[in-house]
């Protein structure tokens, strides 16, 4: 992949794609991790005399919708960098071009949410050309959006000299090393609700990992395939066949919970009981892994050269069913090996338990990290290699 070292930025207008798709509540940024993660590239470009024009999406608006304006991100970025950040209410066109033309070397301009334009997700060549008209060079640091072949992540990279930013390069390096040359043993803990959502990831780790620890509701199709009763646990018919196949292919490396925490319904005030074993009685649903499982998984994670974790072990958003996810998060955080956590729910869980700074690498990508680890080519990365 081309990196910042491959290009000269002095006095250049640099169109920098970042992933500022942060959670907002009533217009307030509730987690600015992704903004802070983009700072090394922004600072590197400013130091080298670039005029920095930032492009990002925020959520999935249907056209121009003020609830999804990036304006609050300009204010946060100004706080974090200590320099003024200009904001363009239009993504492309006259206002954006005029503001871009006024930028001094080292200056920063943030464009409005790129998904306000239909041409973005359509990867429309005319819209990509309008974006390209704003800059002399394109830099992509939006790892979280690298699995999208959109105008600002893929189309525009074909129209300008282009390179990967610091964050994107680092994410790709860490995750590709996990796939190709991990410190062994490689132990992966994968949770979540549905086998079919994670099947490609499970296949990928079954082929590479020394142990694959399963948690979350996705253990029930495995139990059902083994002939256990699942009660009213989440267990969909379509997940049974893939679970059966994974068991047949890798049962010696695939580890399932040996005890569970049950609830009589999915609620914080549900009736709760522990189950030693895997047969869930009628009227009960499995909502977390049990203590023995947590202790066993923690031991496996502590013995790993490399740990990968993605997906909660139970319904951690409900306090009575959070212990398994907390135990795995703590085990990942205290494990002596290299620890890598995929974004999305696992990142939220780590943050909830105050452990976000205790892992080797917390990916800023949810879907992008998973697709990379499934072994799929990501359009936003491939285009920087061609
Ligand atoms: C994410 O939050 O995973 C990225 O910003 C990508 O967002 P998207 O799934 O809406 O494309
Ligand atoms: Mg999203």
């Amino acid at each position: 992949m081309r990196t910042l070292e491959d290009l000269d930025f002095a006095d250049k207008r640099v169109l920098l794609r970042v992933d500022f798709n942060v959670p907002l509540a009533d217009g307030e940024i509730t987690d600015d991790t992704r903004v802070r993660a983009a700072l090394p590239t922004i600072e590197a470009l400013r130091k080298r005399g670039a005029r920095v024009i930032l492009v990002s999406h925020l959520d999935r608006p249907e056209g121009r919708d003020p609830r999804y304006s990036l304006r609050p991100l300009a204010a946060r970025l100004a706080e974090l960098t200590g320099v003024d950040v200009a904001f363009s209410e239009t993504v492309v066109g006259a206002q954006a071009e005029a503001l871009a033309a006024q930028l001094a070397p080292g200056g920063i301009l943030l464009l409005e949410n790129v998904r306000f334009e239909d041409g973005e997700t359509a990867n429309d060549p005319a819209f990509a050309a309008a974006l390209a008209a704003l800059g002399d060079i394109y830099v992509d640091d939006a790892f979280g959006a690298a699995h999208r072949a959109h105008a600002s992540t893929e189309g525009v990279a074909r129209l300008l000299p282009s390179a990967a930013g610091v964050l994107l390069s680092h994410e790709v390096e860490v995750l590709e090393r996990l796939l190709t040359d991990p410190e062994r043993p490689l132990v992966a803990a994968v949770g979540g609700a549905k086998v079919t959502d994670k099947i490609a990831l499970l296949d990928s780790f079954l082929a590479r990992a020394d142990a694959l620890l399963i948690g979350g509701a996705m253990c029930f199709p495995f139990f059902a395939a083994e002939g256990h009763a699942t009660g009213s646990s989440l267990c969909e018919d379509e997940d049974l066949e893939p679970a059966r196949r994974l068991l047949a292919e890798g049962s010696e490396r695939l580890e399932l919970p040996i005890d569970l925490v049950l609830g009589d319904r999915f609620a914080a005030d549900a009736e709760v009981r522990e189950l030693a074993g895997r047969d869930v009685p009628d009227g009960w649903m499995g909502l977390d892994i049990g203590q023995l499982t947590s202790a066993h998984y923690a031991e496996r994670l502590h013995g790993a050269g490399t740990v990968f974790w993605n997906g909660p072990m139970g319904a951690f958003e409900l306090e009575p069913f959070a212990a398994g996810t907390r135990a795995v998060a703590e085990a990942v955080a205290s494990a002596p090996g290299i620890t890598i956590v995929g974004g999305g729910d696992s990142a939220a869980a780590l943050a909830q338990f105050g452990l976000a700074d205790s892992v080797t690498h917390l990916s800023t990508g949810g879907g992008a990290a998973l697709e990379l680890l499934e072994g799929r080519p990501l359009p936003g990365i491939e285009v920087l290699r061609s």
Side-chain angles (χ1 to χ4, degrees), residues 98-122:
L99 288 167
Q102 285 165 26
L103 275 180
I108 306 176
L109 167 66
L110 174 63
L111 304 175
E112 184 54 287
N113 189 345
V114 70
R115 287 189 185 168
F116 283 2
E117 298 286 335
D118 295 337
E120 166 63 358
T121 52

Side-chain angles (χ1 to χ4, degrees), residues 82-288:
V83 298
D84 286 344
V85 174
F87 182 73
S88 171
E89 282 160 12
T90 68
V91 182
V92 292
Q95 189 191 5
E97 279 168 27
L99 288 167
Q102 285 165 26
L103 275 180
I108 306 176
L109 167 66
L110 174 63
L111 304 175
E112 184 54 287
N113 189 345
V114 70
R115 287 189 185 168
F116 283 2
E117 298 286 335
D118 295 337
E120 166 63 358
T121 52
N123 199 358
D124 172 37
F127 179 61
L131 280 173
L134 295 170
D136 306 306
I137 295 177
Y138 171 75
V139 173
D140 190 0
D141 216 20
F143 176 68
H147 56 322
R148 306 294 181 211
H150 293 169
S152 71
T153 59
E154 204 270 353
V156 69
R158 301 184 180 282
L159 304 176
L160 292 174
S162 59
V166 178
L167 172 66
L168 183 77
S169 306
H170 184 64
E171 290 266 14
V172 171
E173 191 183 305
V174 170
L175 297 175
E176 286 190 340
R177 166 120 199 256
L178 175 67
L179 283 184
T180 57
D181 185 26
E183 291 294 327
R184 300 239 170 226
L186 169 61
V187 178
V190 177
K194 274 186 68 58
V195 174
T196 42
D197 286 351
K198 297 272 168 90
I199 185 126
L201 185 74
L202 295 173
D203 275 328
S204 177
F205 278 105
L206 216 48
R208 296 178 165 94
D210 300 287
L212 176 55
L213 319 174
I214 304 287
M218 75 159 86
C219 64
F220 296 105
F222 291 99
F223 291 162
E226 286 178 331
H228 294 286
T230 56
S232 41
S233 306
L234 193 64
C235 184
E236 290 176 34
D237 287 346
E238 62 169 339
D239 285 353
L240 279 174
E241 205 36 56
R244 207 168 275 131
R245 178 176 65 75
L246 288 160
L247 281 171
E249 284 170 12
S251 59
E252 70 291 342
R253 269 159 296 135
L254 201 140
E255 300 190 22
L256 292 162
I258 50 178
D259 61 346
L260 296 166
V261 179
L262 312 180
D264 64 344
R265 65 213 150 83
F266 186 92
D269 60 353
E271 201 175 317
V272 180
R273 59 173 278 200
E274 288 170 19
L275 174 74
R278 294 172 169 172
D279 289 287
V280 181
D282 279 349
W284 293 86
M285 51 171 69
L287 291 172
D288 196 10

